[in-house]
Each structure stands twice: as C-alpha cells, then as structure tokens.
Amino acid sequence: MCGRFSITLPTDAMAQLFDAQPDNDLPDVPNYNVCPTNNIHVITGGDAGQRRLSSMRWGFLPHWYKKTNDGPLLINARAETIAEKPAFREAVRQRRALVVTTGFYEWTKTEDGARDPWFMTTSGGGACVMAAVWQNWTGPDGEALRSVALVTTAANQTMARIHHRMPVILAPEDWPLWLGEAGHGAATLMRAAPDDKLEVFRVDRAVNSNRASGPQLIAPI
C-alpha cells in the first residue's frame, strides 16, 4: 500500500517534466509528510493532448458518497481488482492519472511493537511517479471535489522485505499509455517496478507523527 509520501519537486519543474499546464490552486511544496485527505499534485491527460497539473484530494470519493466521510477512506486501489470494484471500474477506464512524489513511506514493527519507518525512492534520484485514478464528486449541498486514489500491486523483491504491497510506479515511457494518450493496453502497466527501481532506507521515527515536517524526515539513518 501507500499511506504517506513526500514531494520536493518545485511546481514549475513538475510542469516542465510532464509538459503540463499547471493550475493556480496547487499545494505548497516541499511537503515531506503528505497524508491522506491532503490535496496532492496530479497529472491528467486532456483535450488535444494538453496535460494538466492539478490539485486533488487524496482519498477517492465514489459518486454515491453523500459526504466525504460517508464510507471507507479510499486512498489506494488494488490493481488486481480495480476493473471490477464499483468505486473504481469506470475511473480506471476513463480517468487515469499520475501522482508525482519524491518517494513514499512504509513501516515495519519491532519485537516490542515499535514502528520503524522506511523511505522508498527511485534509485539514482528523480521523481517517483505513481499510477492513479481520479473522480469528480459533488455532495448533496453542492460541494464539489476532485479526488484521487493510488494504484497498488504486489511488492517486488526489494519492497517485499518491508511490505507485501507497493504503488504502481511508472517510467516516463509508460506515462502516455497510462494517461490514455497512446491507445489501449494500460492494464499491462499495473505491475511491480523492477527490483532495482527503488532505493530503500530507514528514516527517523519522527515521521510516525502525521504532524511532523521538514527535510530530516527523508534523511537516511
């Protein structure tokens, strides 16, 4: 799964990386401790091939939710069942997106029950770009939100020693297919990244708090 991540890439660099038009309401960067229900940076395809860099709520809202907390918080969608689940099956066909991060956190437990945080980032640096699906949602009172969930799959060997799930991480050559710009076949991308794609290291337990902030959170220990 993926329950928290960091983003340090400046907005203009994100827009340039994805050749995307940035919206005006993007979240502040850097953010070393992005949590569920935060607004996050999302890249979508658009008419005439124009990509957009937008802000969306991390926590997918199915159309039948009457309020944002009307059901489970859907921050992740499993690749194995995404095409069958009522919440996601239309989105995975029509509304796929990319979420840009620096890397993501996962935890293991010690024998005494303490939680040790780990940080996963791309080997050699660079953006860690995750597959996602998104949805427009409108509540009964007219509240309108765009929401997004990350797509996860079974872990590769590198990740499996930390957790049995991982986000679907996409290479630049796969972005057009996932965004629907290069025809059909996006389902073939919902697989684990190669074992050498990720660098994994321990970080300080300060990140166990969702209120923690600062670059020290992603520093190896």
Side-chain angles (χ1 to χ4, degrees):
M1 64 176 295
C2 180
R4 274 199 267 150
F5 63 83
S6 73
I7 174 64
T8 61
L9 199 64
T11 297
D12 56 350
M14 288 188 225
Q16 183 175 9
L17 176 64
F18 295 98
D19 190 22
Q21 180 66 36
D23 287 348
N24 294 323
D25 60 346
L26 294 171
D28 292 335
V29 286
N31 185 345
Y32 295 91
N33 194 4
V34 181
C35 302
T37 74
N38 287 170
N39 285 346
I40 64 175
H41 298 83
V42 180
I43 296 89
T44 56
D47 296 337
Q50 178 61 66
R51 295 174 179 171
R52 295 205 67 85
L53 175 60
S54 303
S55 174
M56 297 189 191
R57 175 190 187 267
W58 184 18
F60 191 94
L61 296 171
H63 63 82
W64 59 82
Y65 278 25
K66 302 302 183 186
K67 50 188 178 181
T68 58
N69 60 351
D70 209 20
L73 181 59
L74 304 176
I75 62 172
N76 296 152
R78 294 175 66 94
E80 297 87 347
T81 59
I82 193 171
E84 305 162 8
K85 294 291 185 180
F88 301 121
R89 62 191 178 196
E90 183 180 349
V92 77
R93 290 195 300 270
Q94 300 181 13
R95 295 185 300 277
R96 298 187 297 271
L98 305 171
V99 170
V100 57
T101 77
T102 303
F104 62 100
Y105 300 98
E106 196 53 78
W107 282 261
T108 56
K109 283 190 176 181
T110 64
E111 292 183 358
D112 61 0
R115 299 174 73 234
D116 283 338
W118 300 77
F119 189 66
M120 278 61 64
T121 189
T122 52
S123 300
C128 183
V129 179
M130 303 177 184
V133 293
W134 67 278
Q135 169 118 310
N136 283 319
W137 175 85
T138 303
D141 60 354
E143 181 185 13
L145 293 172
R146 287 177 296 176
S147 63
V148 64
L150 301 175
V151 181
T152 67
T153 189
N156 62 20
Q157 290 187 8
T158 302
M159 183 69 197
R161 63 189 179 94
I162 309 298
H163 198 275
H164 67 284
R165 304 288 297 176
M166 67 182 296
V168 172
I169 299 170
L170 298 177
E173 59 267 26
D174 296 326
W175 299 346
L177 184 57
W178 184 255
L179 290 176
E181 301 166 348
H184 302 289
T188 62
L189 302 177
M190 292 190 286
R191 60 183 186 271
D195 293 336
D196 61 356
K197 177 71 173 180
L198 291 178
E199 178 184 358
V200 179
F201 51 85
R202 267 288 316 280
V203 291
D204 194 271
R205 289 179 181 174
V207 78
N208 291 3
S209 168
N210 60 14
R211 295 183 297 274
S213 62
Q216 73 280 2
L217 298 182
I218 63 171
I221 63 169

